[in-house]
Amino acid sequence: MTLRRRLTMLAVTIAAVPLAVGGCTADRDPSGKGHAAPPELTVTPGDKAREVPVSAEVGTAVKGGRVTGVKLTDDKGKQVKAEPREDGSGWVPSTPLQPKRTYTAEVTATGDSGATTTRTSTFTTMAKSTKPQITSTLYFVGNRTYGTAMPVTVAFDPGIPKEARADVQRRLFVKTNPPQPGAWSWLEDGSQVYYRAPDFWRPGTTISVRAGLQGLPIGKDKIGDAERTATSKIGKQVALEIDNDTKQMTVLRDGKQVRRIPVSLGKPSTPTSSGKMVIMEKHERTTFDTRGEPDGGYVVDVDDAQRLTWGGEFIHSAPWSEGDQGSTNVSHGCTNVAATAADWLMGVTQVGDLVTVKGTEVELQAGNGWTAWNVSWDEFIRGSALPVPAGLRPAPVAPAHPGAVAGGSPAPAPSVSGR
């Protein structure tokens, strides 16, 4: 089977002795020509290994050839589906292995001359772990249509420590069709990791995601919690640009302006954030409850609300401020628009659209929303725990106004507060 992984991936290290097979030289034939030596093959987990994590992969290393066959079966003789890593360093089971079960891996390597080496390794997985789990949330739901700025986001509670991020990142897989490779980038505190390509997703792209973290050892005393998968598509281009100087929102589709909408942003005491944000969720009607917040204390029902940050910044209908829209900032940080405009926007935008705000008193903070686009590509890839291919760069001429029409909401988010 062919794997179109778009992430440089390595085999998970298993605490077991590998099984190494050295090449040997056959006797020479009467003609004086020597037979080619078979390739050297190393397989992990090693034969008779025990207490193997259920996140284990079949690791393969070949000298003088390449792997041409891998077969993994359980102790009942049932074959386990697996896919090869792009770098050929291992085969990843399509689902986690079962605890306290015995598996057999049969690996064949073929040398350049055609000589082959086949070795078998039988190993037993550990019992179900009692270590504390790190909770993961995949903010990418299946069977949806997302905007072209939609990053694949995985959140962790508690955050992943730096020394464990490479192991976790190796178990995060993204596949795109047509191919559009990208990279992962971690927030400094390890609470979120984003995946995106150097440029915005092309409309019509299918994205398949797997967070294969169930049973994965994370550091010395924790494990991953679950296996999560999703496949969705990317829709048409739509973007919103909000300028505090003009108090106007420009709506663009395929890079062309389709409408300008007057706005009222956050007043000086509660300013709106400037930066590149992504629409995270949409509500036809919701309640903003800011009781207990320093600048809050109110409860109000709002229509046509679109979340931009975890901190409670939304675009939403605000009929009470229509007299100020286009001239004065009066909100608690949200982008206020007229009721008719908010209703129209709900039919145009969707989760994953890019929203750019400029000219306000404060800058968007990393991690306050899905902030993968609020940094340059060079800064983004510095957050990867694994090497990023040097040739993975943005196109010389980026689209003038990226964004997209999409559909649906991501996985459950924190409670709505509104500002």
Side-chain angles (χ1 to χ4, degrees), residues 136-157:
S136 63
T137 302
L138 174 61
Y139 289 104
F140 191 88
V141 178
N143 301 315
R144 305 291 175 89
T145 303
Y146 286 119
T148 58
M150 181 68 179
V152 176
T153 302
V154 186
F156 300 94
D157 184 18

Side-chain angles (χ1 to χ4, degrees), residues 208-219:
S208 296
V209 182
R210 178 187 177 191
L213 303 175
Q214 182 175 326
L216 176 71
I218 301 177

Side-chain angles (χ1 to χ4, degrees), residues 8 44 50 65 73 90 102 107 122 136 149 152 172 174 196 201 207-208 240 246 248 267 273 315 321 342 405:
T8 301
T44 56
R50 305 184 66 82
T73 55
T102 298
V107 182
T122 298
S136 63
V152 176
L172 303 176
V174 178
R196 70 170 177 91
W201 302 118
I207 303 177
S208 296
L240 308 181
T246 63
Q248 296 287 322
K267 56 190 176 183
S273 299
I315 300 169
S321 69
V405 169

Side-chain angles (χ1 to χ4, degrees), residues 173-209:
F173 310 106
V174 178
K175 182 166 58 175
T176 57
N177 184 26
Q180 194 177 351
W184 291 96
S185 181
W186 292 85
L187 290 183
E188 183 63 28
D189 64 1
S191 63
Q192 294 182 70
V193 63
Y194 305 122
Y195 183 92
R196 70 170 177 91
D199 300 309
F200 294 84
W201 302 118
R202 303 184 192 101
T205 299
T206 297
I207 303 177
S208 296
V209 182

Side-chain angles (χ1 to χ4, degrees), residues 30 52 68 78 109 150 184 207 265 286 294 339 341 364 389 403 409 412 419:
V52 175
T68 52
K78 183 179 179 180
M150 181 68 179
W184 291 96
I207 303 177
L265 302 177
T286 190
L364 179 66
S409 297
R419 295 185 60 194

